[in-house]
Amino acid sequence: MNVTVLAGGVGGAKLAHGFALCQPEIDLTVIVNTGDDFDHFGLKICPDLDTVCYTLAGLANPETGWGRKDETFEAMRQIGELGGPIWFRLGDKDLATHLERTRRLKEGQRLTEVVAAFCRAWGIKARVLPMSDDSVRTMVKTREYGWMGFQEYFVRQACAPTVEEFAFEGIDHALPADGVVEALESSHLIVIAPSNPWVSIQPILSIKGVASLILSQKAVAVSPIIQGQTIKGPAAKMYREMGIEPSPLAIVRHYGDLLWGIVIDELDRNFEAMIVSSGIMTLSTQTIMRNEQDRFRLAKEILAFYKDFNPNHQPGREF
Ligand code: FO1
């Protein structure tokens, strides 16, 4: 059975890991947002790709969800002493990833090839694909500072400014990376991970052809909103600032016709009847992934949900 997960950073990486633990019964592809990527110290930084890969490889920092476990920050400390920028904390081990990626890209390798090589080196069995090899930059327009790069908003300003608008620079010319179209076309199940719909999933959906492919296949989304909040990140704050009450309903409306189903947290069970009446299959369950068992259980439950309810599911087609 072919499963494709659309993922941003930490929440997406955790669910992708849950599906990875279901291998080899499923064939897993993870399509990752690259709108958060930026150049820093002359290096190409790909936060969401690295978060997904580190998580799948068992190398992620369990406290932050991003960066490497057992990390040191000696290079950052030295940079700070020299008066350089230290607002974006690059660990020593993590720096090796950025250095080697930048070297390979300068040599002419495509990002897709670099990611595939790193996945092989880290023993990752899933197919991890950047959404595009072309540069896309997520920009955030804030009331206080106007337009700024995503990491400026997210890390430097700690998501404090009020958002007004989002833009994905370069999106009009960005083509899906090799394997993206094939993965979506051959997917039995497409899962939109509990990543930020505005800045993690929307860039992927905005790549030429991706939304129309999902529209024809239909996807299941996992709501990142639980009781009006997010476990991590500014999605709920963004909904409020965009004048929308954050709830599983907001997620259903956000993705609209792309969905056949949604997974909502059991604490939001009261929304179930309303969502079902709009024609979207709904699974209410525990969606908070505190440990590896939670990730695996949630992935298994989504696979069972698909087999029970997906209207396009043809018995026997999944293996
Ligand atoms: N997030 C932070 O909040 N502060 C940091 O200093 C920071 C450094 C960092 C370094 C490498 C990396 O891959 C991710 C890093 N992140 C940091 C996380 C990153 O900004 C976000 O996870 C994503 O861009 C949002 O999905």
Side-chain angles (χ1 to χ4, degrees):
M1 174 177 177
N2 298 339
V3 177
T4 299
V5 177
L6 309 192
V10 180
K14 286 181 177 174
L15 185 62
H17 185 212
F19 281 105
L21 294 169
C22 300
Q23 295 173 125
E25 277 117 85
I26 64 163
D27 186 277
L28 177 63
T29 302
V30 190
I31 300 175
V32 183
N33 170 42
T34 56
D36 293 11
D37 295 7
F38 74 129
D39 295 306
H40 199 44
F41 297 111
L43 300 174
K44 166 100 163 164
I45 317 286
C46 304
D48 287 355
L49 275 169
D50 290 345
T51 299
V52 167
C53 290
Y54 291 160
T55 303
L56 293 179
L59 298 172
N61 178 327
E63 272 89 49
T64 56
W66 51 263
R68 295 278 301 253
K69 69 179 174 189
D70 306 322
E71 185 60 289
T72 52
F73 289 88
E74 192 50 37
M76 273 282 113
R77 212 171 59 77
Q78 297 299 327
I79 289 168
E81 281 182 14
L82 296 172
I86 53 166
W87 59 272
F88 195 81
R89 291 176 52 73
L90 296 170
D92 299 325
K93 289 180 182 162
D94 191 35
L95 264 172
T97 307
H98 311 309
L99 282 164
E100 177 57 10
R101 175 170 43 228
T102 306
R103 186 192 70 78
R104 286 176 184 248
L105 291 171
K106 287 210 167 121
E107 234 182 24
Q109 289 187 31
R110 285 172 296 118
L111 184 58
T112 313
E113 296 175 276
V114 179
V115 174
F118 286 8
C119 284
R120 273 194 300 279
W122 287 325
I124 295 169
K125 302 270 187 318
R127 200 173 299 105
V128 179
L129 303 174
M131 64 185 195
S132 177
D133 283 327
D134 301 314
S135 166
V136 175
R137 290 286 170 272
T138 295
M139 302 295 294
V140 184
K141 188 179 178 205
T142 68
R143 192 166 64 206
E144 295 82 353
Y145 304 101
W147 286 103
M148 60 174 82
F150 179 76
Q151 297 299 344
E152 289 274 329
Y153 161 81
F154 190 89
V155 176
R156 199 168 198 172
Q157 300 295 338
C159 309
T162 316
V163 300
E164 292 184 329
E165 214 181 314
F166 305 97
F168 310 119
E169 272 181 18
I171 201 78
D172 292 344
H173 304 288
L175 296 174
D178 265 4
V180 166
V181 169
E182 295 77 357
L184 291 171
E185 277 176 345
S186 67
S187 286
H188 298 90
L189 171 62
I190 300 171
V191 183
I192 301 179
S195 299
N196 188 315
W198 298 100
V199 289
S200 297
I201 302 298
Q202 201 56 50
I204 306 178
L205 297 177
S206 304
I207 297 280
K208 224 181 286 317
V210 168
S212 59
L213 268 172
I214 298 178
L215 190 64
S216 62
Q217 307 271 101
K218 302 285 186 189
V220 58
V222 181
S223 173
I225 305 285
I226 303 174
Q227 294 204 302
Q229 316 267 351
T230 38
I231 302 299
K232 210 174 172 14
K237 178 176 180 283
M238 286 175 171
Y239 273 107
R240 278 194 202 93
E241 291 169 358
M242 298 295 279
I244 301 166
E245 190 54 36
S247 76
L249 270 182
I251 303 298
V252 169
R253 290 186 184 130
H254 204 125
Y255 295 131
D257 290 343
L258 300 181
L259 300 184
W260 64 262
I262 184 156
V263 182
I264 66 174
D265 196 83
E266 57 195 4
L267 297 170
D268 282 328
R269 206 178 277 279
N270 52 314
F271 286 99
E272 192 173 319
M274 209 188 306
I275 299 173
V276 169
S277 71
S278 72
I280 304 289
M281 303 296 179
T282 308
L283 170 68
S284 306
T285 187
Q286 192 201 310
T287 60
I288 302 174
M289 293 173 276
R290 291 196 178 83
N291 51 44
E292 217 171 285
Q293 286 76 15
D294 286 344
R295 299 173 188 181
F296 180 59
R297 181 197 37 77
L298 183 57
K300 280 275 191 208
E301 286 187 36
I302 296 169
L303 290 172
F305 180 46
Y306 162 76
K307 286 175 186 168
D308 287 347
F309 287 113
N310 175 19
N312 299 326
H313 172 233
Q314 296 153 11
R317 189 178 164 232
E318 68 267 32
F319 295 109

